[in-house]
Amino acid sequence: MNLSLTLTINGERREIVLDDPRVTLLDLLRERLHLTGAKKGCDRGQCGACTILVDGERINSCLALAISYDGAAITTIEGLAEGDKLHPVQQAFIEHDGFQCGFCTPGQIMSAVGLIAEGQACDDPERVREAMSGNICRCGAYKGITEAVIDASGKLSAGKERDAA
Amino acid sequence: MSDIASLPTGSRQRQGSNIGQPMTRRDGILKVTGSATYAADNNPEGLMHAVLATATIARGKVTRLDVEAARAHPGVVEVMTPENRPPLATDPDEKTNPFAFRLDALQNDGVRYAGQPIAVVVAKTLEAAVEGAALLRPSYETEAARVDLEGESFVAEIVGPGAPGRAASGDFDAAFASAAKHIEATYDTPPQYHNAMEPHSIVVRWEGDSLSIDMPTQGLAMAVGRTAELFGISPEKIHIRSPFLGGGFGSKGLAAGPQVLGILAAKLVGAPVKLVLTRQQMYGPVGHRGQTRQTVKLGMGEDGRLAAIEHHTLTSTSRFDDFLEPASNVTHSLYAAPAIRTTHAGSRIDIGTPMFMRAPGEAPGSAALESAIDEAAFAAGMDPLDFRLLNYAEVEPISGKPFSSKALRECYERGAARFGWSKRPQAPRSMRDGEGRLLGWGVGTATFPAIMFQAEARAVIRADGSGLMEIGAHDMGQGAWTALHQIAADGLGLSMDEVEFRSGSSDLPNAGIAGGSGHTATAGTALHGAGEDVIARLTELAVNDEASPLYGAGNVGVVARNGRLVRQDDESRGEPYAAILKRAGLAEIEGRGQSAADPAAQERYAMDAHGAVFAEVAVDPNLGQIRVTRLVGAFAAGRVINPRMVESQYYGGMIWGLSFALHEEAVHDKRTGRIMNANLAEYRVPVNADVPSLEAILVHEDDPHVNALGVKGVGEIGITGTVGAIANAIWHATGVRVRRFPIGLADLLGGTPDVSDKGV
C-alpha cells in the first residue's frame, strides 16, 4: 500500500510516497528524509525535542502522523538560517548559552520561533518560562533559554518596526 | 611550608590568554542549526532498525515469545532471542574488572528486573520493528519481586566506585554519649533516573571483524575495551565516534547492555543496525541512582560545637551486581568534629543495577547531612549559617589532612551578602510575601571532590606555524569542545582559530572518562602537557641553531607567545614557529602529554571544591504548594577555564538540586516491581516554569596542588548544597521538617498550622 502526500519542507516542495501509514512526521523527517535536526526524546509528546513548525505553528512532530499533513508547509531547524546568517533566535541561544548538550536545542529554538510568532508577551520572563515549558532541557539551561527568547523577541520586533517605518 | 607541587616558572608557565575568557561555545553553530550529529542521526546505506522487547515482570523467566508472529510481520528481518543470539567471547555476567558491570545481552531466559531486554526485533523500517516487538507477547514464569528497602540488608564494605564503606575518626560512641545535645534523624531519598534528553543509542556496522560505531559515551577508551573483550576482537579494530552526547549524567559512562545488543543484532543480520531506546526503556538497563535511607546522628556541646557525627546509609543494589550509593562519605569532609563515623548497608532488590548519577553519593548524602545540620542549628538556637561557620572544617575532618585550597568562607560571605541572609529571622513561619504565601530561607554547603583520571594528548605544530591538538575527549554539554580548545590553544601559545582541535573519537589519545567532575582537569592537564612538550622540542631546535635569534638562549629560558618563541628575559627577541621548522626542514613537530593524579599530593592534601547555596521558597499556606523563588550559589573550584560555561554548569547543577528536592522520584508498583512513571510526564523533572531566578557567583581560588592547571571541577557540585538549602527553606517557611525527598505538598498538609486550622 503506497500513500502519497505533498509537503513543503523548508521552502522546498517534496512529493513523498509512504509504504506505511504508521510513519510519524518526526520519523519521516529523521529516518526517511534524513533531516535529523528534530530530535526524538520521548516519542510521546512529553519533552518537546521534536518541535517543528507546521503552517507556522509549533507542534510535537512525534505525535503527528505524516499522512494527515498532506499539503502542509513545514519548517525544521535546518530551514531557519538564511545561508550562513543565523536566525536571531539561533544567535541569541549562542550568546546567552541557552543550551549545553544541544539535544533539546532544535526543539527549544523552533518552539521559541513559534512562540514569538504567536505574539505572546515575550518581554515578560514569567510568560516566557510558562510558554516554553513544553520543552524539557535536562541539562538545565533554562536561564539562558529564557534570556535568549526575550532578547531575540526584542530584536525581531525592533526589526519589524524598522521594516514598517 | 614545603609545597610539593608548586608551579615552577618556565616549564609550566602559561603560554597564552585564552584560558579564563568567556568564549561562546565552539559547537554553538552546529547545535543551533541542527547540524550537530548525535549517534542516532547517522543513517548509513542499507541501515536496518532494531527495537528491544523488554520484560514486564521483575523476576522470573521468559517461557515463550511469539517469534513467528513477529517474523511474519511485513518488513521484519530477524528476531534475536537467547536461542539465536550470536556468541560472545566473554560472558556479560563476568566481572573482568571493577568497572565491568554485568550486562543483559540475552545470555539466558532469566528476568532479573522489569524493563530488562528479552529480545531484539530487526526490521527494514522502524515502524515494522516496533510492531514486531509488540507482537512477541511474552509469557513468563513469575516469581515474587521486591523493590523496597524493607528486606534483609548486608554490611557494605565497598561503595560507589571502589570507596570504603566504613570510616571513622575518634570514638563516636563515647563522644555522642557525652554530648550535651543530640540530633538523630532519618531521611529517605527515592530511586532517580538520569533521563538524559538523548536516549541511549547505537548505529553499528561490522566490516569483516572490524566495528564502526556511532554511540554516545562518556568513556570512549573504556567502551572500546569492553566491546573488544565481549566480542573477542582487538581494540584496534573498533572505532567509536561520540562527538556529541545528548546528556549523560553518568548513565553513558560505561557500556550498557542495549548497545551490546545493537552490535549483536548487526552481526546477526549482516547489515548496519540502528538501535535507539525508547524513553521507557531507559528505566532499567542503563542505570539509576539507588534509593537511600540515611540516619544522621549529631552530638554537640551547649555552644553548638559538634562533638560527634555519624552518618549511616542503607541503599539498594540489584540482585546480581553491586553499585552502592556512597551517600555517607560526604560527611568525611564537610564539618569539623572530633569523632566521625560513616557506614553503609546494602539491600538486594529486583531492579537494574544502580550506577553513577550526577554527584553519586554527595547528592543524597548532602541532602541528609545539610538537613540534619539545620536541625542541629535550630536545636542550638543558632542561625544556620553561624552554626556552619562555628563548625567550619579547617582540615579534612576524617583524615586531618589540610585542604589543597578551600575558599568556602568566602563562598558563605559572598553568597549570604548577595542573598540578603543577614535579614533572616531565626524563627520559622515568620515571613510572608505580598500574596500571603509563607516565605522561607535556607542554606546548604556544597562540596565535591577534585578528581583526576588518566589521560593522554597529542600536540602538533605545523610548517605554517598553526597547531593541532588531539584528545579523545567527550562533550556531553559541559563545554569540552570549547574549554579544552582554550587550554589547547594556550598550550601552544596560539589563538583558538590557529589551533585545530580534534576530539570525540576513539582513534584519538585516551582522555579517560567524562565523569566525577574531572574531565576538564584530566584532559586539560594532558593537553597542557602536550603543549609543553611540543614547545620544548621546538625550543630545543631553536636554541641549538646558530641561525636562530634564540641560539644559546636555553639557560635564560624561552617562552611561546602568539606563534613565536621568545626569550623570557627579552620578549622582543625571538622568531615564529614556522621559521624554526623551515630551517630544520620539518613539515611538523609533535609532542605528547599525559595526566594522572599525583599520589604524593593526594597523600598530603584533601582536594575538594566548595560552595554555599542559599534558597528562598514560597509556600501556599492553604494548599501547601511549594515554589522555589530564588537560588543563589557561590562556588570556589580552582581555576575557571571559561566562566560562561562554568556558570552554566552551576545553574544546571542547582536545577538538578531543585529537581532532587521537589520533583524526581521513580515510583515502583510493589506488587509487580514495575516502575509506574517511566516517562517524562510522570517522572517529573523541572521545566522552564519551575526554575526561579538563579545566580551563580564564581569565587576566585588558586590551587597549586590539584594539577598543573589548578582546575578542580564544576559539573556536580551545584546539586550538593542546593537540595538541603531548599529543604531547610521549606522548614523555615512552614515549621514542618520533611525528611523524605522529593518534598511535595502532601508532606506539608496537616503539618502547616494554617492548613490544619482551616481544616483543609
Side-chain angles (χ1 to χ4, degrees):
Chain A
M1 173 182 54
N2 281 337
L3 307 150
S4 59
L5 68 156
T6 305
L7 295 173
T8 304
I9 302 175
N10 299 329
E12 187 190 342
R13 197 180 146 91
R14 309 274 295 252
E15 305 290 339
I16 291 157
V17 178
L18 288 179
D19 57 2
D20 195 321
R22 296 169 298 194
V23 179
T24 64
L25 214 38
L26 177 62
D27 288 333
L28 170 66
L29 291 168
R30 287 186 51 80
E31 307 299 339
R32 294 168 187 250
L33 303 178
H34 298 176
L35 284 167
T36 55
K39 298 291 186 266
K40 186 184 282 186
C42 71
D43 214 20
R44 294 290 182 274
Q46 296 165 344
C47 78
C50 65
T51 305
I52 60 171
L53 301 183
V54 173
D55 298 327
E57 290 188 6
R58 47 184 178 154
I59 68 159
N60 287 322
S61 60
C62 72
L63 293 185
L65 284 173
I67 51 164
S68 54
Y69 285 83
D70 188 20
I74 287 170
T75 309
T76 70
I77 191 73
E78 289 93 342
L80 213 52
E82 289 173 26
D84 288 343
K85 189 171 179 292
L86 294 180
H87 185 280
V89 173
Q90 293 173 311
Q91 190 62 45
F93 265 68
I94 293 178
E95 284 164 12
H96 293 274
D97 213 31
F99 54 91
Q100 293 184 22
C101 80
F103 195 82
C104 73
T105 310
Q108 299 278 0
I109 289 175
M110 296 316 291
S111 193
V113 171
L115 167 65
I116 292 167
E118 285 159 25
Q120 299 203 38
C122 287
D123 52 354
D124 175 0
E126 280 303 308
R127 293 285 299 279
V128 170
R129 286 175 189 152
E130 197 64 41
M132 288 296 292
S133 281
N135 294 83
I136 294 176
C137 168
R138 181 61 157 162
C139 297
Y142 292 128
K143 183 183 164 91
I145 291 168
T146 303
E147 289 169 0
V149 173
I150 293 170
D151 181 9
S153 167
K155 284 181 178 148
L156 281 164
S157 56
K160 263 188 205 148
E161 278 163 27
R162 266 201 309 279
D163 292 346
Chain B
M1 178 175 151
S2 64
D3 291 334
I4 49 170
S6 62
L7 297 170
T9 53
S11 74
R12 278 186 173 169
Q13 186 154 327
R14 277 180 53 204
Q15 316 275 15
S17 54
N18 295 293
I19 289 177
Q21 300 302 313
M23 277 59 177
T24 55
R25 290 175 193 261
R26 299 291 283 190
D27 49 356
I29 290 174
L30 290 177
K31 284 180 174 173
V32 301
T33 56
S35 320
T37 310
Y38 300 81
D41 297 342
N42 290 284
N43 290 296
E45 195 62 33
L47 182 72
M48 291 189 188
H49 293 268
V51 168
L52 295 184
T54 55
T56 52
I57 64 163
R59 190 175 188 184
K61 65 180 188 180
V62 179
T63 53
R64 187 172 178 277
L65 290 167
D66 196 348
V67 172
E68 290 318 308
R71 265 191 224 277
H73 187 73
V76 170
V77 172
E78 188 55 277
V79 178
M80 185 167 77
T81 70
E83 305 267 301
N84 64 342
R85 186 268 260 164
L88 288 171
T90 305
D91 182 349
D93 276 332
E94 194 181 328
K95 300 281 283 185
T96 51
N97 69 70
F99 288 98
F101 284 85
R102 297 193 167 99
L103 304 176
D104 295 288
L106 299 178
Q107 55 265 44
N108 53 50
D109 59 6
V111 173
R112 42 197 188 183
Y113 57 91
Q116 179 198 306
I118 54 172
V120 182
V121 177
V122 187
K124 288 178 183 161
T125 66
L126 177 59
E127 293 75 21
V130 169
E131 190 77 27
L135 288 168
L136 288 171
R137 299 185 200 289
S139 306
Y140 304 98
E141 205 172 283
T142 308
E143 294 175 51
R146 191 167 64 77
V147 288
D148 59 30
L149 287 173
E150 311 306 328
E152 255 180 58
S153 66
F154 60 92
V155 173
E157 299 292 352
I158 300 290
V159 293
R166 287 197 276 192
S169 68
D171 182 344
F172 172 80
D173 291 323
F176 187 72
S178 61
K181 292 183 177 176
H182 301 90
I183 293 289
E184 177 173 351
T186 297
Y187 305 88
D188 282 352
T189 70
Q192 298 172 337
Y193 284 75
H194 307 77
N195 275 300
M197 292 311 295
E198 175 200 29
H200 293 65
S201 51
I202 186 167
V203 174
V204 55
R205 193 169 64 230
W206 284 91
E207 291 155 357
D209 63 348
S210 293
L211 268 173
S212 173
I213 294 173
D214 294 284
M215 171 177 106
T217 175
Q218 298 171 236
L220 280 160
M222 287 180 81
V224 166
R226 188 82 198 267
T227 305
E229 182 179 275
L230 285 168
F231 287 88
I233 55 180
S234 79
E236 293 73 37
K237 293 193 167 179
I238 300 168
H239 184 195
I240 304 180
R241 291 166 297 272
S242 183
F244 303 104
L245 289 87
F249 314 116
S251 74
K252 293 167 184 166
L254 302 171
Q259 288 158 332
V260 175
L261 288 170
I263 302 172
L264 284 163
K267 186 148 206 168
L268 184 67
V269 298
V273 157
K274 180 190 289 191
L275 187 151
V276 183
L277 294 193
T278 64
R279 179 58 51 180
Q280 185 177 5
Q281 289 170 347
M282 293 168 73
Y283 292 75
V286 292
H288 70 285
R289 193 198 304 282
Q291 56 192 308
T292 73
R293 178 165 300 154
Q294 302 173 58
T295 302
V296 180
K297 291 184 190 170
L298 303 173
M300 57 187 170
E302 292 291 351
D303 61 353
R305 204 174 284 276
L306 288 167
I309 310 176
E310 183 183 61
H311 194 154
H312 175 71
T313 299
L314 169 64
T315 186
S316 56
T317 188
S318 68
R319 292 268 184 210
F320 56 96
D321 213 339
D322 287 359
F323 185 93
L324 294 135
E325 186 77 10
S328 301
N329 291 353
V330 71
T331 289
H332 295 171
S333 56
L334 262 186
Y335 298 103
I340 292 176
R341 184 161 72 199
T342 58
T343 52
H344 292 83
S347 181
R348 295 201 180 280
I349 58 176
D350 300 293
I351 51 167
T353 306
M355 193 43 60
F356 311 97
M357 179 161 157
R358 202 171 187 182
E362 280 77 10
S366 141
L369 180 62
E370 289 302 315
S371 297
I373 288 289
D374 217 64
E375 299 198 39
F378 188 67
M382 290 181 67
D383 173 87
L385 181 55
D386 291 341
F387 185 85
R388 284 168 171 81
L389 287 165
L390 178 70
N391 291 291
Y392 193 87
E394 302 290 354
V395 296
E396 186 181 53
I398 196 83
S399 66
K401 289 181 194 178
F403 289 100
S404 59
S405 60
K406 181 176 180 178
L408 176 57
R409 260 201 194 85
E410 199 180 345
C411 294
Y412 284 139
E413 272 168 31
R414 293 189 53 193
R418 182 72 201 159
F419 187 83
W421 183 261
S422 62
K423 299 192 196 76
R424 179 185 182 274
Q426 187 98 328
R429 260 187 111 76
S430 47
M431 295 193 297
R432 302 254 177 175
D433 70 4
E435 297 165 39
R437 295 183 300 180
L438 296 160
L439 284 185
W441 290 358
V443 63
T445 308
T447 188
F448 198 81
I451 296 170
M452 289 279 287
F453 300 100
Q454 292 183 14
E456 296 156 17
R458 175 172 177 263
V460 173
I461 294 174
R462 295 158 165 159
D464 65 356
S466 68
L468 164 69
M469 280 276 207
E470 292 184 333
I471 189 163
H474 320 83
D475 197 329
M476 49 187 180
Q478 78 277 37
W481 278 114
T482 313
L484 295 181
H485 196 159
Q486 289 175 257
I487 296 168
D490 276 12
L492 295 178
L494 293 168
S495 71
M496 289 173 78
D497 289 338
E498 290 166 323
V499 176
E500 183 187 348
F501 179 65
R502 292 186 190 150
S503 184
S505 176
S506 69
D507 54 0
L508 300 173
N510 179 2
I513 192 162
S517 296
H519 202 41
T520 305
T522 303
T525 301
L527 289 163
H528 178 76
E532 273 184 358
D533 188 43
V534 76
I535 293 294
R537 288 168 195 270
L538 196 64
T539 302
E540 193 67 18
L541 286 179
V543 299
N544 291 313
D545 180 353
E546 288 181 26
S548 170
L550 296 167
Y551 178 64
N555 289 335
V556 297
V558 169
V559 290
R561 290 274 184 271
N562 305 320
R564 296 165 59 85
L565 289 187
V566 296
R567 285 175 67 108
Q568 203 165 317
D569 61 346
D570 179 3
E571 295 203 2
S572 69
R573 292 166 67 190
E575 63 176 333
Y577 302 162
I580 301 167
L581 289 173
K582 189 175 179 189
R583 266 199 321 276
L586 293 175
E588 61 175 45
I589 187 164
E590 180 188 299
R592 299 268 174 173
Q594 287 86 35
S595 66
D598 173 355
Q602 282 187 319
E603 182 61 32
R604 187 145 187 170
Y605 296 103
M607 300 177 180
D608 301 275
H610 297 94
V613 181
F614 297 83
E616 177 183 85
V617 302
V619 180
D620 185 302
N622 297 310
L623 301 174
Q625 189 187 45
I626 305 160
R627 302 284 294 176
V628 175
T629 46
R630 279 197 297 148
L631 282 177
V632 175
F635 302 95
R639 174 175 281 156
V640 169
I641 302 297
N642 182 321
R644 184 189 303 260
M645 248 113 276
V646 167
E647 273 179 12
S648 287
Q649 285 297 292
Y650 290 148
Y651 294 145
M654 288 158 75
I655 290 170
W656 270 59
L658 185 157
S659 189
F660 192 123
L662 300 182
H663 296 282
E664 306 190 30
E665 176 175 25
V667 182
H668 285 272
D669 178 341
K670 291 190 180 181
R671 297 162 303 179
T672 63
R674 292 172 65 177
I675 296 172
M676 298 193 288
N677 58 342
N679 59 70
L680 281 174
E682 294 159 296
Y683 182 97
R684 290 180 297 122
V685 299
V687 297
N688 204 324
D690 292 313
V691 172
S693 154
L694 292 174
E695 282 186 71
I697 298 165
L698 278 52
V699 173
H700 180 87
E701 187 177 71
D702 292 314
D703 192 317
H705 306 296
V706 281
N707 48 58
L709 290 168
V711 169
K712 292 182 177 175
V714 297
E716 295 166 274
I717 189 171
I719 310 174
T720 74
T722 304
V723 189
I726 292 171
N728 297 338
I730 292 169
W731 171 81
H732 189 237
T734 62
V736 181
R737 176 62 66 177
V738 182
R739 298 191 183 90
R740 67 170 291 280
F741 295 93
I743 301 173
L745 51 80
D747 299 305
L748 301 177
L749 290 177
T752 66
D754 279 17
V755 174
S756 44
D757 288 353
K758 291 177 186 170
V760 173

